Amino acid sequence: MHTARRIAGLAAQLAANRAFLLSWDRGQAADSERGLVMYRSEVQYAPLNGVLRINDCDIDRALTDARQNFAGLPWVWWVGPDSAPETADELLRRGAAELERLPVLVMDASLAASVQAPAGIAIDRVRGPAELTEFVLAHSFAASLRAPDVRLMVAHEAALLRAERVDLFAARAGGRIVGTSMAWVSHGVTGIYLVGTHPDFRGSGIGTALTAAAVRAGEARGGQVAALTASAMGEPVYRRMGFSEVTQYRLLSVPTWSEPN
């Protein structure tokens, strides 16, 4: 059956992505069907701090609350189909800038069954704290992370492993990690995150194999559908695997001034 028919509408995919991002909140934020939903990881990396959606909440009050919540941290505002329809336009009128549009792609998990790692590459699970620092440093954005940020991310992912909330995968060439991926299962959906390949190894099929490994792991945990948000670089890879677009997120950066224009 086509993926779009396996889950009615977008509710499950969007809820799964919110659950993943909310897991980064150091204050144990909870999702809500109404109002302003935020997560704050304390990591100095914008995508790990942000507003997920706003419903039935005054935009100016929401801006004030968000700026106070993220004081001292870079952050983003996610606008998707679970946000009030006017959210993006209202933010842009108040000086926000659109950073990018991320397609949400979904795929039937069974399509990943036959994907294999390229020759000379071993893909294995990351199983404990001893491997996590290397895993975190292998993320595509790791070069900009401070030592305290690395420690926060290692602690977070270690907690997820202990709770059996995620499956982490590392691709190795000659013992060195050259690619990563994560599977997070929620609401019957496998969310695929942290897919990245070292620049020296791109174009060899490692990203495809890492994504497939995460999809298969999620399917074993009950995620019959895989979902991810795709960068411009990754989108062609995912589409060749069989992922198809169901919606988009718009990521906005909000000025730090305290009053709207």
Side-chain angles (χ1 to χ4, degrees), residues 4-24:
R5 298 177 184 174
R6 293 285 294 272
I7 296 179
L10 292 171
Q13 290 100 322
L14 299 172
N17 189 53
R18 290 196 303 271
F20 170 75
L21 292 171
L22 286 170
S23 78
W24 285 95

Side-chain angles (χ1 to χ4, degrees), residues 105-107 192 211 215 226-228 238-239 241-245:
L105 307 180
V106 298
M107 183 183 79
I192 308 299
T211 302
V215 172
L228 53 81
Y238 302 131
R239 289 190 181 275
M241 292 183 67
F243 282 89
S244 57
E245 183 174 338

